[in-house]
Amino acid sequence: MLLAGKTVIVSGVGPGLGHRVASSVVRDGGHAVLGARTAANLARSAAEIDPEGRHTAHLSTDITDEAQCEALAALAVERFGGIDAVVHVAAWDSYFGGLQDADFATWQSVIDVNLLGTLRMTRACLPALKERGGSVVVIGTQSAVAAPSQVRQAAYAASKGALTSAMYSLARELGPDRIRVNTVLPGWMWGPPVQAYVRFAADSEGVPESEVLARLTERMALPELATDGDVADAVTFLASDRARAITGQSLLVNAGELMH
């Protein structure tokens, strides 16, 4: 029970990774406070994770709004007495393209969500985190350090790269308060978004889904994709006291596709 008695805020809870992280928090003995923009997704996720409602709370939250970030932090303190960790899953990852076709107004919006939104949510949690020490875990992306050949998401990668750089500064700044800050960098991750990509690519090319999947896994040391659950397990470890001496680190969870 890595998180027994711990309270963890999870932003960006939808049908994919955010849900799996919140589920892992409760599975490992913690309380999960769920935030996302869509209230129906939050209610559905909480009901599936914790049918009796004893270990979850949720509030519709747009991380581009500072007051809403503060309200989610306040809910965690009111319901469970404090905050031990915050996990940042919320992100805008659906804008595709590179430099030549860039709409920089959209780039600014992506950065406002992925970089500044994460920092807003972190700052809202600081008063409670300082009381106990704790952990901030940022979900980044492997594409911030090695662009994939299959898709182009320059704005998303750039915003997450900036967030990883910010993580190093936060680890130094918040370390004296016993607050650890780390980043998890998933690669191709088997869950709803990648499943949809595999179906789309297979239909578009008129090939079996297994062929598309084989192209994704051929460069990996392990012959399968990491899953949402694999990434969630890495997150709960970093949120736990088992990682009490780990801060300012980026952990690749990618089945060995990229190593360093």
Side-chain angles (χ1 to χ4, degrees), residues 25-119:
V25 168
V26 173
R27 177 202 66 194
D28 288 348
H31 306 298
V33 180
L34 287 57
R37 290 183 302 169
T38 306
N41 286 344
L42 291 172
R44 183 164 49 249
S45 188
E48 182 177 334
I49 294 167
D50 179 33
E52 296 181 2
R54 293 184 298 171
H55 303 290
T56 58
H58 55 88
L59 182 67
S60 180
T61 306
D62 182 344
I63 61 172
T64 65
D65 186 312
E66 196 160 358
Q68 292 188 40
C69 293
E70 292 171 351
L72 185 63
L75 173 63
V77 173
E78 177 185 350
R79 179 69 189 279
F80 298 116
I83 301 171
D84 297 283
V86 55
V87 180
H88 298 287
V89 183
W92 185 345
D93 60 359
S94 57
Y95 175 63
F96 295 87
L99 174 63
Q100 296 182 76
D101 56 352
D103 173 1
F104 286 125
T106 304
W107 273 62
Q108 287 180 320
S109 296
V110 171
I111 290 168
D112 191 32
V113 174
N114 296 351
L115 174 60
L116 299 180
T118 298
L119 297 178

Side-chain angles (χ1 to χ4, degrees), residues 88-181:
H88 298 287
V89 183
W92 185 345
D93 60 359
S94 57
Y95 175 63
F96 295 87
L99 174 63
Q100 296 182 76
D101 56 352
D103 173 1
F104 286 125
T106 304
W107 273 62
Q108 287 180 320
S109 296
V110 171
I111 290 168
D112 191 32
V113 174
N114 296 351
L115 174 60
L116 299 180
T118 298
L119 297 178
R120 288 186 194 96
M121 191 67 244
T122 301
R123 187 165 69 176
C125 295
L126 283 184
L129 284 171
K130 287 180 178 181
E131 290 184 7
R132 300 181 176 184
S135 176
V136 176
V137 184
V138 177
I139 301 298
T141 175
Q142 179 178 291
S143 65
V145 295
S149 58
Q150 292 89 347
V151 295
R152 184 174 294 131
Q153 289 179 289
Y156 175 67
S159 65
K160 289 291 192 175
L163 188 55
T164 298
S165 295
M167 177 269 293
Y168 298 123
S169 295
L170 294 180
R172 286 288 184 190
E173 178 184 351
L174 304 180
D177 292 304
R178 298 294 191 273
I179 299 171
R180 299 176 292 106
V181 189

Side-chain angles (χ1 to χ4, degrees), residues 198-212 215:
V198 169
R199 286 193 299 268
F200 172 79
D203 290 343
S204 299
E205 299 173 25
V207 299
E209 292 183 12
S210 58
E211 182 176 324
V212 178
R215 291 203 299 263

